[in-house]
Structures are given as structure tokens and as C-alpha cells.
Amino acid sequence: MNRARADEEEYWHSSKFRAFTFDDEDDELSQLKESKRAVNSLRDIVDDDDDDLERVSWSGEPVGSISWSIKETASGSTSSLEGRDSSLQKGSSSYAALPKQVSSYSLSSLFKGRNKLPSFQSLSDALTDTGVKNYAPELRRPKAEYKDYSSDWSPKDTVRRMQRGKVCSLERFRSLQDKLVLLDEAVAGHDGNVITAVLIFLKRTLRREILFRELEVRQVALCHLIHFLRETGEQKLLLDLLRFLDRTEEVALSQYREHLNIQDVEKRREFLKGCIGLPFSAEDTSHIQDHYTLLERQIIIEANDRHLEMAGQSELFRKYPRKASILNMPLVTTLFYSCFYHYTEAEGTFSSPTNLKKTFKIPDKQYVLTALAARAKLRAWDDVDALLTTKNWLGYTKKKAPIGFHRVVEMLQRNNAPVQVLQEYVRLVEDVETRLNLATKYKCHDVVIETYRDLKDRIQLTAYKCKVERGSAEEEKINSILNNMQIRWKN
Amino acid sequence: MAAHLSSGRVNLTALREAGRRELREFLDKCAGSKAIVWDEYLTGPFGLIAQYSLLKEHEVEKMFTLKPGRLPPADVKNIIFFVRPKLELMDIITDNVLREDRGRSPQRDFHILFVPRRSLLCEQWLKEQGVLGSFIHREQYSLDLIPFDGDLLSMESESAFKECYLESDQTSLYHAAKGLMTLQALYGTIPQIFGKGDCARHVANMMIRMKREFPGSQNSIFPVFDTLLLLDRNVDLLTPLATQLTYEGLIDEIYGIQNTYVKLPPEKFAPKKQGEGGKDLPTEPKKLQLNSAEELYAEIRDKNFNAVGSVLSKKAKIISAAFEERHHAKTVGEIKQFVSQLPHMQAARSSLANHTSIAELIKDITTSEDFFDNLTVEQEFMSGIDTDKVNNYIEDCIAQKHPLIKILRLVCLQSVCNSGLKQKVLDHYKREILQTYGYEHILTLNNLEKAGLLKPQTSGRNNYPTIRKTLRLWMDDVNEQNPNDISYVYSGYAPLSVRLAQLLARPGWRSIEEVLKMLPGPHFEERQQLPTGLQKKRQHGENRVTLVFFLGGVTYAEIAALRFLSQMEDGGTEYVIATTKLINGTTWIKSLMEKLEPAPF
């Protein structure tokens, strides 16, 4: 299936990679538009009673649906409270008069004593009941069912009862042996709810070392306890457990996660500093280190720049006030910020882009792109040019872009670069068709003219004459090329 | 209201009825007037079971959304909380209860209805806050499998995949087994169970165990389903990562379908009358329900988007012609007949107008350069091109700070299509992502690694090409207009999960033993004995019915592929689909991401 490079051309043009072009000759979009017109024109014929068809509010919620009603009744409770209340009282009094009218108490539910005691029969229980059981529940369910604390259920029965949602006392299971049997039964039932309940009991009644030791050989229960401790935020116990299990990387990540709950930056920095020594994988360790270093930097830059901004001395900050603080922003955002406000600083300062690049080993491509975006935003076209210029060892300069010049052009165009600036980079777009498209779109006449000349395309060049101004230098250029007898036109 | 549920081979109205019955029974337990306080997440799923009218019949007078603070004043006897068993919701309830004015008279009674299950952990939590005693009824409502359409059931448990594969918490599997028991109680014991994956094995085990423990569950209903196929999502991690290209799939990818509803930007849904425009342009999103009750939608939902336009324009012509008929109606009788057809024609017209607008919205996106580039890379990966080196497009997307989820989807796709990435490639992506989006995402990357979505290639061998070839996952000659293979749903890629279902029906899994061994988890077959009287005698030419249960989520494109197989003339099998959650690549990855903002409490 490995396609040779030579096949690429064919592959790009084969139909299956055409994402969404309709096969029909006539453009599908116009077809859609046409059907829409057809449909809309029908509105004049039949209208008005539209709403009777489907009773929906504009938001599409069918009138009477639950989420629609929440809004309805909730708003009613605040706005027309009084009116509602009076009607409500009437309503409730009529309920009192006819207590059983609306309810659907069935004979069987009365037998089950449903209204007297909380019964936890679930849908599936009810459905799997046989008919006999429905009408004479006492035959199969002893009265003791309702008395939880006095009876002597086996671990298995206890678990089964808990699965059905009944509250059971677990205090009777005193010996370690009993407790472990209970836990194993719970695990065998797969019901996380019950497993967790048993674990809560064990956690409360067993010594920590014993609990840990027993869980180590019971992986499922162990996972539930870890999940439970995470949910309830018992961080200390969780870390102890993970340490006991020698799951050091998890300990590290779990501890690192905590930093998200620390709002104060100074405290957060301190905390991250403590995370560096944790047993992460080698790769992650360097990321955590970087995270700490970055925040440390950001705190320094933030303090400095806030001061600068307040003082109002710096023109840059006056002209482009900061929209947000740089604290806790990603590295690339920080780099953008420093390319925007601190571009010319010497490498020695913490806020200089080159310093950031070195400290965090930012790849060239990423750096150039970010710097380009920042300098283009400031319309510092010289900086843009410098970023795209490389010198080889003989001292010749050459233009080079990390992401295709067409992307560069788009980026500059978004920042309203003048034609003279754009032109230079449009010219460097390698693919002729893309180059022509961009040049035409952004009115880089010189590039269009030169490209047609190089293509020896007299027809297109002649046609382009009407796009340039009468008597302009461009027109003159076209004419002189067209009159050039040296060129062998292809058409 | 629920007619579309009975349109399929299996009448799912019965399941909905069972759900409604249980809801009524609970409401009647709390005698007197009531207000319901809703965990907002639940209103959608509940809406598929019951309307407000049902609640009203049982004295529900007010409904509120669960939020911290004092409960709104409402002169009712009972306040009932409908909530999922989540600790953060318990904190809100606690707050509500503690702020309740004890002096008010008459006092209001509190109750909790846990959906789908009571949680002892939550109750313990409430106890520690000292409010557990305030609740008179604490019950559960086993809303396990919710009927979404005539052939579709979902548990709408958004965290099921994360719990199963990241946290080894099998509670959602327990619910799945419970739901299957309910289903069997209503539709008969399913004689054959097939499965692939660890979770599938667990669910089958639980079902067998539950059956043994409740001997009374031996029912005497003639079995509707012939086969149950349990599939782990982690057997096929690839499919959800790819962009779905069916009409419904794209609606979900772009706008997100929730509980059969979609919210759309209102601009294309112009106000009805001319001259009203301008200042009255709607600003609220337009909300539409999408299910097979709508004739047109049922016809186009599962088509490749490229085949939708022609259907819509054909329909437009038919409807225009139908309305033209009025000019030919001369006699009173003819006019009368025309008028009697009007409601139906109008419904068809408004449905067509809606879908034309939606198709336009989608087309704007699918024709964009970025959609094209993204799809090209996806298809390269899926057909096995350049999966072992750093991809330029992904790098460019990171450099331009495209949404993180998009990046993660692509990187994971590449990893899955290469049986893991080379360490150097993986490290490179990781570094770029962390530097651009923030170091804290190291936690998310770790989760993805744990789930097997993003990992280093350990064995040094890439199994994907073998799997792709044996299962014919990449089809070069795909026909989007008149498909002859399931690969049309991704314009070339045939979803692995559905291939497994297809091959199981014919010729059977024995033919692909080797590949099955390369995919994670065991594959197995179980039989459930039926009493002699219930054994099926198949009529000649009658199709088998297979229930495919996706543990960990299913996409609309996979559903479309299964429906395609159901409709194949010589297919011989019709499919009903069940899942823990309807997902797409974005919602799926999101469920695995570390929540970075601390909880509001």
C-alpha cells in the first residue's frame, strides 16, 4: 500500500481524496439555493396556520417538553407569583377533595406497601418479577426484608441487597477475614456503588497498612478506592497509597495536578518548584521544569511591565495597552508577548525573545512564526524582512520561510501590509498557480505581469491590461513586454 | 409523540412505557403537590421518556434547575431533586437544603431521585454534611437504556469510556448489564451472545450471573432478538477519531446533537414573512428535533453528504409540483381534496426548508480549505500513508493554534493507524502541544496515553496494515451516491467495528481469527438456553435481528453503516443499536481531557 512519490500526482487527483465536490455537473450549492428558493416561494401560498402543525417555540423546544416547562414554571414563580399562588391554592384544595382521582395506585403497588415504606424496587426488579410475586409479595419476601439491622445476612446476601439499593449495616463484619470476603463479593458483583460503599467501611475500620496490603492484590477494588479518594479530594491518603504501591509516576502527576487549585501565583510557583524533584518520566521532568521556569519568568515580566504601563513612559505600552496579564499563559503566547513588547532587548534580559528561545529550546520554525505574527501585528515590516532573510556562509542572503510563503502572505495581508511589502513575498511563492491567485487577489500587478511573461502567455497578459490603471507604469510595462520581439509566446 | 419508536423491527415503545410507569409510581409516592429540581443534564434524556403533561398529571406544579443558593419560593408540599449520583451535585443540594427557611409553614418535604442508581457514596457525603436525614424518600430511577429512535438505544452516560478504560471503574458496565436484563424481560431472552473485548466479557459475565441469581427472571416471552453482539470501544479506537461524512454525522460533528436535538445558528432560518425582517432577526439558536419521525430526515440522515443535495432538489421539485396542483383543481371535490392534503404538504415543505438550510450551513464548512486539508490528512493516515513521521499539516495547525481537540484527534488518529508512534515523533508532538497550549495539558496527554489513544510504538511492529487489509478497512472505489459498501460513511474508510459485525453475520468470525487476536481483549460466544416452547422457527426469508451494544460509545456514522447493512437486500440481518453514549471524536476526546478549571465550589 506504500505509494511511491511518483504516484502522488495521481493520488491528489484521484476522486476519493476530493473532500466535498459534488459529482453532478451543475454546482450543488446552486442546486441547494434553488430548492430553497422554490420552497420559500411556497410560503406565499400557504401560511399563517403554520404553527398548528408543530407546536414549537422559536427555540424549537416542543411546547410541553420538560426543558421548555422548566423555563415556563420557573419564570412564572418570580413574575406572576401572586396570581399563580391563588390558582394554586384552588388547585390543591381540589386535590384534597378528590385525593385519589389522579393517582394511579394499582392494586399491586398497595400490596407491596409502596406508600408506607421506602421500597427500592427498581424497574428491572419489577419487570423480572413473576405475576405471582406481584400479588403476594409476602410469599417470597419475608418481613425481615425491611429490618436491616437485626438480621444476619451473609456477605453474599449483603452485597446483593446493597445492589438493590437497600441500606445495610456492615458493622457486623468484624474480623478481617469477614471484611475481605465481603469486599470480594462486592467486586464480583461489579457494581461500583457497592464496591465503594464497602471500601468506605474498610477504610474506616482497618489500619492503613493492612488496607493497602490487601488492596494490592485486589486490583479492581484498588482502582475504585483511588477513584474515590480522587473524587473526595483526600489527597494525602491517595498519595500514601500510590507511594505504597510504588506507582511513582502517578504520585508525581497526581501531586502536580494540585497546582491547578492554587490561585496565588507566588504560591503556585513555589508549589511547582517542589514538583520538579518528583519521580516523573525523564521526558515529563523536563516539561515540569520548563513549566516552573516559565511561571518564574512570567512573574518577573509581569511585575516589570505593569510598572512600565502604569508609569506611562513607554510609548509601546501607551499605544497598545495590554489586554491581559501574561501570568499562566502558554510558552508560545509568552514568546509572542515578548516579541511584541520586548523585541529589541538584549539577550541578557529575562523578557527578551532570544533569551526565551534559548532557555526553552524553542524550535526555529516555531520562533520565526511567532515573531512574524508579533512584528506583523505592529506593522514592523523591516523586522519581518529580517526574520525571513538568511545568510549563507559565503555571505549571500536568501529569503526563506518556515511555512510556505503563501502562508506568510496571508499573515501579512491580515495585518494590512502595503502592496510593496506583500509583493515581495508573493513573488517567492513557489507554486505558479498559487502565486498568480495571490498576486491577482492582492493586486500585486508586477508579480502577475512577470509571471505571465515567464509563462509566455500572451493572451492572459493582454487580458490583464484591463485590470491595471490607464497610463500607469504597469500598463507601460505590459506594453513593453508585449512589444518585445525576443519573447517566443506560446500563444 | 413516540410513533417513531415503533417503526423499526423491534417495537421500542414498550421500553418507553416501562420507564413512564416507573416514573409515575415514584411521583405518586410523594403525595401532594410537588416541585422538581432538575440536574440540568437529565432533562434531555427524561424528555425522551416523558412530557411535562405526565408530570403535571401527578401534581408536579413547578420545575427548577439545580443551582446553589436558596430554592425559589413555591407553595408545594414536596421538593424532589432529580439528580445523577455526583458529589458536586450533592454539594449543591446540601446548600439548597441548609438555606431552606425552617420557619416557613407549611414545611416542604425533601426527596431525592437518583438517576440511574442510588449511590451510597453520595448518601455518605450527604450524611457528613448533616442533611441526609432531611430526605424522606431516597430512591433510584433506573433509566438505563433510553429509546432514541426505532432502532437506537443509549444510556447517555458521558463518562462511561473514561471510567472503564482510565479509572477501571466498571459501574457503567453494571448498568449496561442491568439495562440488558430489562430489555430481555421485555423482549425475551437473547439466545446467542457474541463479544469482543474485556468490557464485553465483563458484561456477558454479569448477565449470566444476574440470570442465575434471579431464577424468577426466566420469562415466557418469545425472543425478539436472535443475537447480542457486545463490542468494546477500545477494540476500535480509530473510527470515532475520523470525521464522519454522513449527513447526520456531519450535523453532529459541527453542531453537536444532544438527545436528538440540535441547536443551529439562526441566520439561515429566516423569519416567516417578508417585511418583518431586519430588526426582528432571531438571535437565539434555532433548535430542531432530529429523528425518524420526520420522513425526509429518515431518508437522508444516513446518506453520504455528497448524496444529500440531489435528494433535496428532487424533493423540492415534487413539492412545487404538488402545490401547483391547486391551479388544476376546478370542482369543489378537487379543491376539497387539495385542502385535505395541505397539512401533510406543509409539513413536508417546512421539513424541506429546514434541511435545505442545514445542508447549506454544512456545505459552507465542508467546502472550506481547512476542512479539505484536515480530511486529506485523515484519509492519508487511514490508508496507511506516512503515519510514521511528523506530519506537516498537524505542525502547521499547532503553529496557528487551532483548537487543541482538533490537534489531539489528528495525533491520536496517526498513533492508532501506526500501532503507536515512534518515540521521537511522539516526543516532538508532545513538546509542541505543551509549549503552545500550556504545560498543564501534560495531564490530558497522560490520560490519552493510558486509554491507548496516544502511545509509543512498543513492539516495534505496526499491525494496522494487516488489520486494514484483512478487514478491507480502506476501499479505493467508494460510491457515495449509490453505495455498495459501508465504507461510504467515511468516503473510503469502512468502520472497523461495523466490519466486525458484518463479518460475524457472514461468514462468521472463524474466518478472521488471526486479526481478532491482534485486537485487544478476548472474543467469545455464549448461549442462553431457551425453554423448548420458545425456540424460534424461522420463516423462510425472515431476517435475523441482532442487537449490537457499543460499550464506550458509538458514532452516527457507525449507526448509518449498520442501518445500511440492515437494508441490504440479501443481508439477512437487521440491526438494533445500543450504546453507553452517542459520541463523536470531539466529545469523546473532551471526556478524556483533564478538567483544568477548579470546580465552582
Side-chain angles (χ1 to χ4, degrees), chain A residues 11 20 22 59 191 193, chain B residues 117-118 287 306 363 380:
Chain A
Y11 138 68
F20 270 99
F22 287 93
S59 66
D191 184 349
N193 184 27
Chain B
R117 297 268 289 145
R118 268 180 90 174
K287 200 168 169 186
N306 278 347
K363 187 137 175 85
E380 280 178 359

Side-chain angles (χ1 to χ4, degrees), chain A residues 191-339:
Chain A
D191 184 349
N193 184 27
V194 177
I195 300 172
T196 307
V198 172
L199 284 169
I200 294 173
F201 168 66
L202 261 53
K203 177 173 151 266
R204 189 159 47 83
T205 59
L206 285 179
R207 274 222 317 276
R208 190 170 282 194
E209 309 83 80
I210 296 172
L211 178 67
F212 288 179
R213 190 191 67 211
E214 293 301 335
L215 286 182
E216 198 176 4
V217 292
R218 289 173 175 78
Q219 282 300 314
V220 176
L222 179 66
C223 290
H224 279 273
L225 184 65
I226 290 172
H227 181 52
F228 163 73
L229 294 175
R230 210 164 264 163
E231 280 272 291
T232 51
E234 289 181 64
Q235 186 71 5
K236 195 176 168 312
L237 188 58
L238 175 64
L239 293 179
D240 285 348
L241 175 59
L242 292 174
R243 252 180 237 120
F244 172 84
L245 298 166
D246 241 2
R247 283 154 71 163
T248 49
E249 233 186 289
E250 243 175 284
V251 174
L253 283 167
S254 193
Q255 206 150 334
Y256 169 72
R257 180 183 289 111
E258 278 293 288
H259 87 267
L260 293 166
N261 298 324
I262 303 171
Q263 297 303 319
D264 182 86
V265 269
E266 289 291 343
K267 282 190 188 136
R268 189 183 265 212
R269 190 197 55 186
E270 274 313 299
F271 186 88
L272 285 173
K273 191 176 186 181
C275 286
I276 294 172
L278 295 173
F280 291 101
S281 69
E283 181 70 15
D284 286 355
T285 303
S286 78
H287 294 314
I288 304 294
Q289 166 82 51
D290 282 353
H291 191 173
Y292 163 73
T293 317
L294 179 63
L295 186 58
E296 194 182 35
R297 282 294 170 86
Q298 287 171 338
I299 291 172
I300 297 169
I301 299 174
E302 176 69 21
N304 228 338
D305 289 0
R306 196 185 316 138
H307 182 77
L308 267 175
E309 196 174 31
M310 303 262 273
Q313 304 278 314
S314 156
E315 199 194 336
L316 197 53
F317 283 102
R318 265 208 316 270
K319 212 167 157 194
Y320 303 97
R322 303 186 311 152
K323 288 195 185 77
S325 110
I326 194 62
L327 296 171
N328 294 317
M329 292 293 164
L331 173 61
V332 171
T333 313
T334 313
L335 178 64
F336 179 89
Y337 176 95
S338 93
C339 286

Side-chain angles (χ1 to χ4, degrees), chain B residues 287-311:
Chain B
K287 200 168 169 186
L288 283 175
Q289 186 166 30
L290 301 172
N291 62 35
S292 60
E294 190 184 349
E295 208 180 307
L296 175 63
Y297 188 62
E299 187 181 335
I300 57 176
R301 68 196 303 185
D302 299 321
K303 289 192 182 302
N304 186 292
F305 186 62
N306 278 347
V308 167
S310 58
V311 177

Side-chain angles (χ1 to χ4, degrees), chain A residues 5 365, chain B residues 377 380-381 385-396 398 411 414 418 421-430 432:
Chain A
R5 272 275 172 232
K365 180 173 171 179
Chain B
V377 171
E380 280 178 359
F381 288 160
I385 299 168
D386 287 348
T387 51
D388 58 350
K389 46 183 156 208
V390 172
N391 181 283
N392 265 330
Y393 174 73
I394 297 181
E395 269 205 313
D396 284 359
I398 296 175
V411 176
Q414 184 177 356
N418 199 52
L421 296 168
K422 281 187 186 150
Q423 191 68 48
K424 241 176 67 193
V425 177
L426 180 64
D427 289 347
H428 179 83
Y429 281 139
K430 267 187 165 179
E432 297 249 298

Side-chain angles (χ1 to χ4, degrees), chain B residues 398-529:
Chain B
I398 296 175
Q400 294 168 62
K401 225 173 173 187
H402 284 210
L404 177 58
I405 291 190
K406 173 187 173 172
I407 310 292
L408 295 176
R409 261 178 94 158
L410 282 170
V411 176
C412 290
L413 184 69
Q414 184 177 356
S415 168
V416 173
C417 290
N418 199 52
S419 306
L421 296 168
K422 281 187 186 150
Q423 191 68 48
K424 241 176 67 193
V425 177
L426 180 64
D427 289 347
H428 179 83
Y429 281 139
K430 267 187 165 179
R431 177 167 282 274
E432 297 249 298
I433 289 171
L434 296 178
Q435 290 189 340
T436 307
Y437 297 92
Y439 290 105
E440 59 278 16
H441 291 288
I442 209 168
L443 297 164
T444 293
L445 294 179
N446 248 282
N447 287 350
L448 294 174
E449 204 163 317
K450 246 191 195 165
L453 279 161
L454 182 65
K455 55 176 189 183
Q457 202 180 67
T458 41
S459 62
R461 244 187 64 205
N462 181 2
N463 280 333
Y464 178 70
T466 316
I467 297 172
R468 187 186 69 231
K469 277 174 213 155
T470 317
L471 299 181
R472 293 182 299 122
L473 298 185
W474 185 259
M475 305 296 277
D476 277 316
D477 46 350
V478 60
N479 185 340
E480 291 164 350
Q481 306 291 329
N482 298 299
N484 49 16
D485 182 72
I486 56 169
S487 54
Y488 84 92
V489 298
Y490 287 98
S491 292
Y493 166 74
L496 192 158
S497 56
V498 183
R499 260 300 185 253
L500 289 182
Q502 188 183 12
L503 289 165
L504 176 66
R506 198 183 298 170
W509 275 358
R510 212 158 296 163
S511 61
I512 50 164
E513 284 279 341
E514 284 306 307
V515 167
L516 282 174
K517 275 185 205 143
M518 288 178 186
L519 298 169
H523 58 283
F524 60 89
E525 177 182 355
E526 295 282 350
R527 278 174 195 280
Q528 301 200 87
Q529 281 303 318

Side-chain angles (χ1 to χ4, degrees), chain B residues 29-298:
Chain B
K29 236 178 260 178
C30 313
S33 58
K34 319 167 177 55
I36 296 178
V37 183
W38 286 94
D39 168 358
E40 210 162 11
Y41 183 84
L42 289 176
T43 59
F46 263 83
L48 297 169
I49 298 287
Q51 297 282 90
Y52 180 48
S53 57
L54 179 140
L55 303 176
K56 214 167 176 179
E57 277 166 31
H58 295 267
E59 298 177 69
V60 174
E61 291 171 359
K62 304 254 164 167
M63 305 212 281
F64 310 110
T65 314
L66 182 65
K67 51 175 173 267
R70 190 191 280 261
L71 284 170
D75 223 343
V76 289
K77 177 136 190 339
N78 301 287
I79 301 268
I80 313 176
F81 294 93
F82 278 35
V83 287
R84 288 166 296 161
K86 294 204 173 273
L87 289 184
E88 62 264 29
L89 300 179
M90 297 306 114
D91 286 338
I92 303 180
I93 292 181
T94 304
D95 190 47
N96 283 170
V97 170
L98 290 178
R99 283 167 189 257
E100 175 79 353
D101 183 5
R102 286 285 147 209
R104 69 175 290 139
S105 82
Q107 276 214 359
R108 306 192 280 193
D109 290 342
F110 290 110
H111 315 275
I112 296 189
L113 187 65
F114 287 109
V115 185
R117 297 268 289 145
R118 268 180 90 174
S119 148
L120 299 164
L121 173 57
C122 286
E123 293 185 8
Q124 170 90 11
W125 194 257
L126 290 172
K127 196 172 178 180
E128 277 165 23
Q129 317 292 319
V131 294
L132 188 68
S134 310
F135 298 98
I136 296 176
H137 289 294
R138 299 191 303 270
E139 309 219 356
Q140 66 184 23
Y141 181 67
S142 337
L143 191 64
D144 286 326
L145 284 168
I146 307 156
F148 270 61
D149 218 317
D151 59 356
L152 181 60
L153 302 159
S154 172
M155 293 165 59
E156 283 310 285
S157 159
E158 55 184 346
S159 52
F161 184 85
K162 184 180 186 192
E163 284 166 11
C164 287
Y165 298 100
L166 227 54
E167 288 153 359
S168 304
D169 176 347
Q170 292 161 357
T171 307
S172 59
L173 300 180
Y174 177 77
H175 294 314
K178 277 280 213 186
L180 282 164
M181 295 312 279
T182 308
L183 216 56
Q184 292 190 90
L186 288 166
Y187 301 101
T189 303
I190 306 174
Q192 253 187 328
I193 305 175
F194 291 92
K196 170 70 188 167
D198 286 320
C199 293
R201 185 67 263 183
H202 279 305
V203 171
N205 286 350
M206 278 186 259
M207 286 172 70
I208 292 161
R209 187 184 151 115
M210 284 174 188
K211 195 170 179 229
R212 204 173 51 228
E213 286 177 1
F214 299 94
S217 66
Q218 191 60 265
N219 64 39
S220 52
I221 297 167
F222 202 83
V224 176
F225 297 103
D226 299 283
T227 309
L228 165 67
L229 169 58
L230 295 161
L231 280 179
D232 273 34
R233 184 73 271 175
N234 85 334
V235 170
D236 172 13
L237 294 171
L238 195 167
T239 303
L241 294 169
T243 304
Q244 310 171 70
L245 298 178
T246 57
Y247 182 51
E248 188 167 42
L250 275 167
I251 297 177
D252 188 42
E253 294 276 349
I254 298 168
Y255 298 107
I257 301 174
Q258 266 169 6
N259 302 299
T260 74
Y261 284 92
V262 67
K263 281 184 187 163
L264 299 158
E267 302 83 39
K268 295 248 174 177
F269 301 87
K272 270 179 288 178
K273 292 189 188 79
Q274 270 92 36
E276 262 183 20
K279 63 178 181 188
D280 276 352
L281 265 184
T283 48
E284 237 182 285
K286 169 97 172 160
K287 200 168 169 186
L288 283 175
Q289 186 166 30
L290 301 172
N291 62 35
S292 60
E294 190 184 349
E295 208 180 307
L296 175 63
Y297 188 62

